[in-house]
Amino acid sequence: MEKTDVQKSIAIEAKNISKTFKISENSHNTVKHRLFNIFNPPKTKYVPAIKNMSLEILQGECIGLLGRNGSGKSTLIKLLAGVYPTDSGYVKIKGTTMLMNLGVGMSHELTARENIYVSGSVLGLKIKEIDAIFHQIIDFAELDGFIDSKIKFFSSGMVARLGFSIAVNAGADIMFLDEIFAVGDVKFQEKAVKVFESSWIKGRTVILVSHSMDVIKQYCNRAVFMKNGEMKYVGDTEKAIEMYMEDNH
Amino acid sequence: MLLQDSVTWFKKNNKLERLWLLAKIEFKLRYYENRLGLFWALLKPILDICIYYLVFQIILKQDIPAFASYLFIGLIFYNFFIESTSGTISLLHTKKYLYEYSNMNKLEIYISTLMSNVIGFSFNLIMFMLFYNLIEPESMGLSFYNFWIIPVFVNIFILALGVSLILSNIFIYAKDITQIWQVIATLLLFTSPIFYKLTSFKQALPTFDHLNPIAGIIINARRVMMQGVSPDFSLMLFDYGYACSFLIIGLILLNKIGSKAAEKL
């Protein structure tokens, strides 16, 4: 390996972050409710989702995130992407982030064309750059003929394909991919996997959440294993998978 | 050197482009969705003026010179303020798709929405100027003082942005702020000299021209557009004071409460 790899700069630095969700049983969402219930505060439950974690993600690395349902993977992703604020510690993000699970940030009131321009722009592209990749996005999503229809009239598969296509073709500096291989029919999934096998993933910072061990094994050079909101292991992918499999039994 | 730096910043950065793109789409959504389209944006103030003209000039016989223009300029400023505040209370909810999946700065969402209102306001202001200079019989014509409308408008823009930030962040915790604000909006409408003669307004409600920022802004807009005099600088200072204080409070709220919008809404 070249020496430059050693000096790779940090894309995300998270230090001592934690997140606790407050869940009230009866939400006092109006002024009236709050006034009438001053002496009867709602019962609140505290759910610690992330407990004091530190993590550094280098630029250009693909890191896997493993853990059972409810282990805090999605919360961690949202904290690292800057969507949720942390309760303690800090997250330093260098560049634009994009969080992708079944849908990405698209408005159902807008047409496919408008959504492509808005998303592309939010991801940091200039209008000219979006013009250049516009047809690529449409072709990849197989949405010819629906360019100027509002996506609220699309099937859920069409919306998901559009989201995936925007993510693949526009892409932020740092991508968070949350179980994205569940998108579309078999044919589209094959296409999606092909993208990953091509050079797309190289040079990008990717945080990959998946329950498919093959996917993690194939693309990630490091992996994180999480349990009950704690980071149990960071490092070798094989070892993380082993720990995750043990946890499942 | 500095110029060169800022030119390269503009070339590399897509922030302004993004604001303009979002503003255009917002404007299109608002006006092209209904059948009357953009025509409605022009028709609405004319119909409003007809109604108020009937009530205040013909029935109540207020006898204000150039009353149609007097109403016109007052209403377009008031409407801009209301559209930018009432219309944005649930902004963090309706525009969630923009910040839920990325680390986009939320302030940009506010500015772009207000910019789409600026487009509508500009149409109305051009209509006003055509009306005042070509149709209004008691017009005083164009004057260099008209340029003062720019700082007066910047004033109401900052004020609207500040109030919009405050309301939409309160909305996260108290949804009925919408109803409360409707009452306050009506109060602001009737405690501004939009329909009344300025002298009788000042007599009946002394200090209200300084207390109600909308009143001050409308008074100054009329001075520079209709009376051909410079704005009342003490009023302007007051109104910039209000606008900046609201903006600072709004930005603090956005930082404290707005950052939690993704998980609370």
Side-chain angles (χ1 to χ4, degrees), chain B:
Chain B
M1 189 63 191
L2 196 68
L3 189 76
Q4 213 172 14
D5 279 352
S6 46
V7 167
T8 47
W9 185 85
F10 272 119
K11 277 190 181 160
K12 272 194 182 159
N13 203 297
N14 72 338
K15 266 205 171 97
L16 285 177
E17 258 187 13
R18 175 157 70 218
L19 286 176
W20 182 236
L21 176 79
L22 291 172
K24 270 194 309 195
I25 289 178
E26 180 70 26
F27 187 77
K28 195 207 107 186
L29 273 184
R30 180 148 351 127
Y31 290 114
Y32 287 78
E33 293 293 283
N34 49 45
R35 270 174 192 280
L36 285 169
L38 188 61
F39 186 59
W40 179 244
L42 305 173
L43 196 67
K44 172 86 169 40
I46 295 176
L47 292 177
D48 283 349
I49 289 165
C50 291
I51 297 167
Y52 294 128
Y53 193 91
L54 177 81
V55 175
F56 290 94
Q57 197 77 339
I58 297 175
I59 301 176
L60 292 174
K61 296 203 172 43
Q62 280 210 90
D63 199 28
I64 296 172
F67 187 61
S69 308
Y70 187 87
L71 267 177
F72 202 154
I73 187 90
L75 280 175
I76 59 175
F77 270 82
Y78 176 79
N79 284 340
F80 172 80
F81 180 72
I82 291 304
E83 272 167 28
S84 305
T85 52
S86 297
T88 56
I89 289 183
S90 56
L91 187 78
L92 287 173
H93 182 62
T94 52
K95 295 276 183 286
K96 201 177 173 188
Y97 74 97
L98 282 173
Y99 63 82
E100 200 179 14
Y101 295 98
S102 68
N103 57 347
M104 180 185 180
N105 188 349
K106 290 191 188 73
L107 192 59
E108 287 180 31
I109 304 175
Y110 287 90
I111 295 177
S112 63
T113 309
L114 255 67
M115 269 167 64
S116 83
N117 290 340
V118 174
I119 303 175
F121 175 87
S122 313
F123 274 118
N124 284 330
L125 190 68
I126 292 168
M127 283 225 308
F128 166 79
M129 291 183 74
L130 292 175
F131 178 82
Y132 184 68
N133 291 298
L134 301 176
I135 301 171
E136 179 64 68
E138 291 163 276
S139 164
M140 297 188 41
L142 290 167
S143 111
F144 277 113
Y145 287 104
N146 291 164
F147 286 109
W148 275 105
I149 199 70
I150 297 166
V152 175
F153 179 70
V154 171
N155 193 172
I156 202 162
F157 185 90
I158 299 172
L159 183 74
L161 180 61
V163 174
S164 162
L165 281 166
I166 295 172
L167 293 175
S168 58
N169 281 297
I170 294 176
F171 178 82
I172 298 174
Y173 284 101
K175 303 279 180 291
D176 53 355
I177 188 72
T178 317
Q179 284 86 334
I180 296 168
W181 182 247
Q182 272 173 4
V183 177
I184 299 174
T186 315
L187 180 75
L188 288 175
L189 175 69
F190 287 104
T191 54
S192 306
I194 295 176
F195 322 109
Y196 331 116
K197 220 178 215 176
L198 190 56
T199 44
S200 44
F201 172 78
K202 280 186 175 169
Q203 239 169 24
L205 299 171
T207 70
F208 261 70
D209 50 347
H210 282 82
L211 268 180
N212 176 358
I214 305 295
I217 288 170
I218 289 174
I219 290 171
N220 272 337
R222 282 190 187 129
R223 284 174 69 99
V224 302
M225 295 305 286
M226 291 177 62
Q227 294 157 14
V229 290
S230 57
D232 180 334
F233 290 109
S234 104
L235 261 185
M236 200 179 218
L237 195 69
F238 250 83
D239 295 337
Y240 264 97
Y242 282 124
C244 294
S245 331
F246 282 132
L247 183 63
I248 290 167
I249 298 171
L251 289 174
I252 293 170
L253 284 180
L254 183 68
N255 240 339
K256 291 251 180 259
I257 303 175
S259 59
K260 289 190 176 162
E263 54 188 284
K264 298 275 182 198
L265 282 173

